[in-house]
Amino acid sequence: MSQTERRLRRSANTTQALCLQLNSSLRRANLSGFVLADDDGVCLAAAGDSHACDEIAAHLPMVGRKAPNFEGVLFGPAVQWDVQMQSLEIEGSNLYLCAIGQSDARRDQLQHSMGAVSRILMPAAA
């Protein structure tokens, strides 16, 4: 008996796999963006408006160091974003995953993406 494939698109490339996952969560929650940033504020993967994702990625470490689970508004030079962000640690590195926009499904999709990002980035067991 064959199982139905639950993931329609996959990639062996880590960055592409992360972007595909974030894009899937973005669509399911009807958000304007999803971004994964490192502790230097570099955008590692994103879905949605690339300019907004890059700008938000730069803010995430400053916010995440003070509030590892943040829900509120981030301000840019001429714009503001309603976000929910969670920090995670992978192999000793601090990362920040952020959902951009308002949606009833935002919290659930952020949690789903946290698990997926962890699975994608964790090294395979030897």
Side-chain angles (χ1 to χ4, degrees):
M1 181 196 295
S2 68
Q3 289 184 311
T4 302
E5 177 58 41
R6 66 182 176 92
R7 295 180 201 119
L8 299 176
R9 297 180 67 197
R10 291 183 180 217
S11 177
N13 175 288
T14 302
T15 301
Q16 186 176 20
L18 289 167
C19 289
L20 287 169
Q21 196 294 312
L22 296 179
N23 193 49
S24 175
S25 287
L26 174 129
R27 285 191 324 268
R28 277 189 244 133
N30 196 29
L31 294 167
S32 57
F34 247 100
V35 62
L36 177 68
D38 68 8
D39 210 29
D40 292 323
V42 174
C43 179
L44 302 176
D49 180 355
S50 61
H51 175 71
C53 288
D54 286 341
E55 192 165 339
I56 289 169
H59 288 75
L60 293 178
M62 293 177 282
V63 173
R65 288 181 195 126
K66 294 181 181 186
N69 300 307
F70 174 79
E71 188 170 358
V73 177
L74 290 180
F75 294 93
V79 68
Q80 62 185 35
W81 300 278
D82 184 13
V83 301
Q84 185 172 357
M85 183 272 310
Q86 285 193 275
S87 60
L88 65 152
E89 185 179 324
I90 306 271
E91 293 287 298
S93 296
N94 294 319
L95 302 177
Y96 307 94
L97 183 62
C98 184
I100 308 161
Q102 291 185 332
S103 164
D104 291 338
R106 180 173 76 180
R107 183 178 313 273
D108 289 341
Q109 285 306 309
L110 184 61
Q111 290 303 311
H112 174 78
S113 289
M114 290 283 290
V117 165
S118 294
R119 282 190 304 277
I120 292 168
L121 293 177
M122 289 300 243

